[in-house]
Amino acid sequence: MIEKLSKHFSHNNQNIAIQSDTETLCYAQLTKLVNGLVIQWRQQGLKPNDIIAVELENSLDFILCYLAALWGGYTIVPVNSELPDRDKEYIIDITKPKLHIKAAPSRTTSEINISPVISKTYLIAFTSGTTSKPKGICHHINSLLTSAEEFNEATGINQTCRMIHCLPMGYMAGFLNTILCPLLTGGCVVICPQFNALTALTFWKSAIQLSGNTLWLTPTMLMLLNRLGASQETKAWINDNISNTFVGTAPLPLAVKNKFEQIFGVNCYESYGMTEILFISTNSKYTKEKKGSVGKLLANNTVRISPISTTLDENDEGLIYIKSNTIYTQIITDEELSENNMSALFETGDIGKVDEDGYLYITGRKKDIIISGGKNLSVRAIEETIYNIKGVQEVAVIGEHNELWGEIAVAFIVSNNPIDKQQVIKHCEHHLIKEAVPKKFISISALPKSSTGKIQKQLLKEKLTDGVL
């Protein structure tokens, strides 16, 4: 598998591999820089399987570190520079790297042709820690390459891909989705400013200047781009140049997807994956569009739906278990190091179903189920309903303890204008069963999110419990 990646890294390949607003590198130039960094680390005394932590902003240098770790046989620990100091310290403490890179390493080139050295663990990717301390998910390079290849084949990513990279490079999606996938096919990584509320204002300008043709976005990014809109000239460019718009890392509300497609005139292809298993399923231009589906299962994944004794079973829904040959090898925490049993089923924590054509549907999270009046309620179904109300920008629903009902649904709403509570209640009553209609509606200026755009519902629960909201 590694040969499929390394064949592009030769001293005579002049195809563009990396491009930013300040520099352009072909594969031949990139190869020499990678070789130079491997030699530099060897001269510093690093040996194969040694751990290297990389804490950098999105940059060519971060990509060089990823590739040099692969070529040198090292284990790389990407550290998101936007994490709180306590989380950074925690990651460094439990991984104990031999080298901790906080500034761009000096660039040197080498004509020596270094072949990749396969290490026991190539990548330790830490989860965002939205509900607990971050977990270190260990992966072998073969799992990452297999997952990337299957995603590329399912979606048609090839050497013509110019992947617009605006996700945090310190997380799995910022490596697997937007670096490894395009480089595996001989495509190009187009480094744009990391997406945030400020850079969103110039997002399309950067994409146009760098001639990107493939997008990888999160639902939060779509929401913000929807609000900002675009000029007719920009929309025309998007229609002429963007061949794929992939969306993942968090559930994509149907209303958000529909609005993006309506505004910008391109289809959004939602995928489903986890740091522990990598890509699981995806939509693409080659699959049928099925409302609410996260796409067809990729070839290496098999799914088992385990029924749960709730009203959710009525639609053949249940807990999703995955068996995959791209699953993690170990999970590291400060309490234990757990080995993975490759033959075992992995509980995703998601609830959903698979239809007769092999399309997967995610309808909720096990931890998000609200038990009210003896009935189990899907949080996602409630959120999807509220998203369809005009003026609602974002919504998060959580369960609050209630002496009479056990739990009640509480909806936090971000909106353009003050929400008419009676209008919201009437809308919910029309689309939801009685128990699922939220008993509280709280207007909030912004929802707390991790750096990858995932809503931190635990923080909302804590504020609600503490009486802050």
Side-chain angles (χ1 to χ4, degrees):
M1 183 63 69
I2 192 68
E3 289 78 12
K4 292 184 178 181
L5 175 66
S6 59
K7 72 177 182 179
H8 303 296
F9 290 80
S10 66
H11 290 292
N12 59 5
N13 188 345
Q14 299 300 310
N15 291 335
I16 301 301
I18 311 288
Q19 188 169 357
S20 70
D21 59 350
T22 58
E23 50 194 338
T24 299
L25 291 179
C26 67
Y27 276 90
Q29 294 168 315
L30 181 61
T31 299
K32 293 175 184 179
L33 285 170
V34 171
N35 291 340
L37 188 53
V38 172
I39 291 172
Q40 183 183 140
W41 286 347
R42 287 177 179 176
Q43 291 173 342
Q44 294 175 17
L46 292 174
K47 298 179 175 58
N49 295 308
D50 280 348
I51 295 175
I52 299 174
V54 180
E55 183 184 335
L56 297 174
E57 302 287 337
N58 279 15
S59 60
L60 167 62
D61 296 293
F62 208 144
I63 297 177
L64 287 175
C65 288
Y66 269 121
L67 296 174
L70 174 55
W71 258 247
Y74 307 115
T75 297
I76 187 168
V77 179
V79 181
N80 184 10
S81 60
E82 295 183 354
L83 282 174
D85 288 341
R86 66 173 187 180
D87 285 351
K88 293 179 186 177
E89 292 166 1
Y90 169 78
I91 290 170
I92 298 303
D93 183 57
I94 66 172
T95 58
K96 297 177 173 55
K98 291 289 182 66
L99 179 63
H100 184 181
I101 298 173
K102 291 186 176 183
S106 58
R107 295 185 190 177
T108 58
T109 60
S110 174
E111 298 291 338
I112 299 174
N113 190 18
I114 298 175
S115 298
V117 178
I118 305 301
S119 61
K120 180 180 178 182
T121 298
Y122 165 64
L123 173 67
I124 305 178
F126 278 81
T127 59
S128 54
T130 55
T131 58
S132 60
K133 288 183 178 179
K135 294 183 298 183
I137 313 298
C138 303
H139 277 284
H140 193 277
I141 186 58
N142 284 345
S143 294
L144 292 155
L145 290 171
T146 297
S147 190
E149 182 177 45
E150 291 196 347
F151 185 84
N152 288 350
E153 289 179 353
T155 58
I157 291 179
N158 56 32
Q159 69 275 10
T160 66
C161 173
R162 291 181 58 82
M163 179 69 73
I164 296 172
H165 194 309
C166 59
L167 300 174
M169 289 186 183
Y171 282 121
M172 179 64 80
F175 173 64
L176 172 65
N177 305 22
T178 42
I179 296 175
L180 196 57
C181 279
L183 292 185
L184 183 59
T185 66
C188 176
V189 179
V190 177
I191 305 175
C192 288
Q194 185 170 320
F195 196 98
N196 56 42
L198 182 60
T199 60
L201 296 171
T202 55
F203 174 77
W204 293 118
K205 181 180 178 181
S206 297
I208 293 170
Q209 287 179 339
L210 293 170
S211 302
N213 63 21
T214 306
L215 298 175
W216 245 114
L217 303 171
T218 69
T220 299
M221 294 175 184
L222 257 67
M223 292 175 196
L224 188 49
L225 291 174
N226 285 349
R227 290 181 219 167
L228 294 172
S231 66
Q232 290 302 318
E233 184 180 3
T234 296
K235 291 177 184 178
W237 180 89
I238 293 169
N239 277 265
D240 290 341
N241 293 277
I242 298 299
S243 56
N244 283 299
T245 300
F246 301 115
V247 185
T249 75
L252 174 60
L254 187 59
V256 174
K257 175 182 183 295
N258 290 343
K259 186 173 182 180
F260 186 89
E261 293 178 344
Q262 179 184 6
I263 293 173
F264 299 105
V266 292
N267 292 327
C268 293
Y269 301 115
E270 185 178 9
S271 65
Y272 174 61
M274 305 180 72
T275 305
E276 293 89 343
I277 307 179
L278 310 178
F279 290 119
I280 296 172
S281 67
T282 189
N283 288 288
S284 77
K285 62 181 68 175
Y286 308 111
T287 59
K288 285 191 286 186
E289 185 171 357
K290 294 196 175 187
K291 183 179 178 180
S293 171
V294 291
K296 290 199 74 170
L297 293 166
L298 297 182
N300 81 88
N301 300 313
T302 55
V303 172
R304 190 186 84 186
I305 306 297
S306 178
I308 48 181
S309 300
T310 71
T311 54
L312 294 173
D313 293 348
E314 296 174 0
N315 297 317
D316 298 321
E317 298 172 357
L319 287 172
I320 298 173
Y321 289 81
I322 305 286
K323 183 178 179 181
S324 174
N325 59 12
T326 61
I327 198 168
Y328 67 91
T329 56
Q330 295 177 327
I331 292 181
I332 301 173
T333 68
D334 57 350
E335 298 175 353
E336 61 179 348
L337 187 152
S338 58
E339 301 284 341
N340 170 54
N341 182 351
M342 296 294 287
S343 63
L345 288 164
F346 176 79
E347 181 183 334
T348 65
D350 289 317
I351 294 171
K353 63 181 180 180
V354 179
D355 70 13
E356 65 279 2
D357 297 322
Y359 284 75
L360 182 63
Y361 298 78
I362 308 298
T363 56
R365 287 283 292 169
K366 178 182 177 181
K367 65 182 180 181
D368 282 346
I369 288 178
I370 296 173
I371 304 175
S372 183
K375 293 186 178 180
N376 286 29
L377 311 175
S378 168
V379 164
R380 184 165 187 181
I382 302 172
E383 291 174 343
E384 289 278 5
T385 297
I386 299 175
Y387 264 116
N388 283 311
I389 298 173
K390 186 177 181 180
V392 171
Q393 294 179 347
E394 291 186 88
V395 60
V397 173
I398 64 172
E400 181 184 32
H401 175 71
N402 182 272
E403 292 293 338
L404 178 61
W405 296 96
E407 285 184 300
I408 59 171
V410 178
F412 294 86
I413 299 175
V414 180
S415 62
N416 292 322
N417 302 301
I419 290 292
D420 184 334
K421 182 178 178 181
Q422 293 306 313
Q423 178 191 359
V424 175
I425 292 174
K426 185 177 180 180
H427 178 84
C428 290
E429 287 176 340
H430 182 71
H431 293 278
L432 299 168
I433 63 173
K434 180 180 178 181
E435 292 82 2
V437 177
K439 301 299 187 287
K440 292 182 182 179
F441 296 92
I442 299 174
S443 293
I444 191 169
S445 59
L447 297 174
K449 297 186 182 74
S450 68
S451 56
T452 54
K454 293 182 180 180
I455 297 172
Q456 297 177 307
K457 291 188 176 181
Q458 185 59 36
L459 294 180
L460 293 174
K461 289 182 179 180
E462 290 173 3
K463 291 181 178 181
L464 198 61
T465 301
D466 295 340
V468 177
L469 295 172

